[in-house]
Amino acid sequence: MSFLGRSGGSSTGVNPERVEMAVQELDMITDVFNRLVSSCHAKCISTRYAEGDLNKGESVCIDRCVSKFFEVNKRVGEKLQSMGGNAPSGQSAFGSL
Amino acid sequence: MSFLGRSGGSSTGVNPERVEMAVQELDMITDVFNRLVSSCHAKCISTRYAEGDLNKGESVCIDRCVSKFFEVNKRVGEKLQSMGGNAPSGQSAFGSL
Amino acid sequence: MSFLGRSGGSSTGVNPERVEMAVQELDMITDVFNRLVSSCHAKCISTRYAEGDLNKGESVCIDRCVSKFFEVNKRVGEKLQSMGGNAPSGQSAFGSL
Amino acid sequence: MDFSSMNAAEQAHMSKVIEKKQMQDFLRMYSNLVERCFNACCNDFTSKALSSKEEQCVMNCTDKFLKHSERIGARFAEHNAERESTVPEQH
Amino acid sequence: MDFSSMNAAEQAHMSKVIEKKQMQDFLRMYSNLVERCFNACCNDFTSKALSSKEEQCVMNCTDKFLKHSERIGARFAEHNAERESTVPEQH
Amino acid sequence: MDFSSMNAAEQAHMSKVIEKKQMQDFLRMYSNLVERCFNACCNDFTSKALSSKEEQCVMNCTDKFLKHSERIGARFAEHNAERESTVPEQH
């Protein structure tokens, strides 16, 4: 992992909150990656499975699919932010506690 | 959060089991809420997305959908209970350990 | 639980890594079990729900379904292993960090 | 939910747990929304850029999903309030 | 699964972990069952109450799902037992 | 992701967390792959053994899914690299 070579922080000892946030970011990245894999598989891969290689059409489709997915990700993120970022408390199940 | 104002418990210090159970209940509520959102979306929301507002038909459908979902929740819960509550150990994967 | 009667280990105190691995194995088993239930339900169970019992055809289908599922599990496992076990780092989201 | 049987330390702990879960819930809702609207709106992969029609669809999909969730949340809260007022508290 | 290589403290810890997971599994199975039977049985939203036909469907769906899971569990256990008897233990 | 603002202890902790998550991710990918290829390839339950046609389908499905994931991973990495080079670091 590239980050092991860098020495950014200065203090010693683990700050639980900083680690917590990094773990949450990792989980988020994994979640997005898995949804991306699943969505683009549904959009681009024929389920006849006549061969094990990606054909030209599938490969091109995947690249465009990823690109569009990230654009959707950006648009949705902007939309949520424009709504004042009140979403975190707005539509969760805990709003009803 | 409303519960912060109340002072119910008497002892001090965190009882891990009590907290554990409350966390489990929270997870359960979130899980039910997410399934409710997803099921009623599939039942009531047209995926043409010609507009961003809920129309009258969709709104009415959502209300009835939530109502029916809770009734199903109740019926299934009663059924599980009538089976003697032996379900927790009965059909889990750990039955085969 | 059957394992409580056995006394295999010799040292005392909890080895976090050993426990961690056992928990991960439990999670894996549960995950496989849940996918098996869901897949074979989709393959074998009619969703008309005219009766609450499994009929003969459904019962036979379930048994064969489980058998085939495990064979697929084995084939896929062998395939992943034949690829040099480089999969863990290969296609995870963290490959892109 | 009723946390009144908890002492102050437990309530403080729970409010931290809830705060963390709300963040996780929000992130999960966000990526779920992206996946949902992408799947519903993007079906043409002859281009790598979103068409204006797709973009409009994504905006409407997001809008509608949030309003949908909000409405479900309101009904959900009513249901829980109703249940708590009829079921006697467990002490 | 084989926990025989664990010491007593580890086995006690695992049995607590398993107990907790069984509870979580049960709750998950419960809400999964509700979702599954709701989706299969409820398709008419001209009324907010369950029709008797829908209720019957939900009862059958629940029944059948539990029997289905039980049967899968039995085959699953047989499979694991078979595998453990043929594969030498790792020590 | 940028872990440069972390001290050595935190970075060491994160690399342990990542290692554990990679294992979990791999196991999850494995069972997801089994489910996916089983669902796509097995539709005949008049026999309990995989037919050679089904087996070939499962092999191709596995192959293709791994190549698919790899390609997605490559695009994902490019995207993240691009974003990091254009967005100023937050300090």
Side-chain angles (χ1 to χ4, degrees), chain D residues 71-83:
Chain D
R71 193 171 188 104
I72 301 266
R75 294 297 91 79
F76 197 78
E78 282 168 20
H79 175 86
N80 285 349
E82 217 171 279
R83 215 181 43 162

Side-chain angles (χ1 to χ4, degrees), chain A residues 40-54:
Chain A
C40 293
H41 199 277
K43 298 287 184 189
C44 298
I45 308 295
S46 150
T47 52
R48 283 186 316 108
Y49 296 118
E51 81 282 308
D53 286 319
L54 297 174

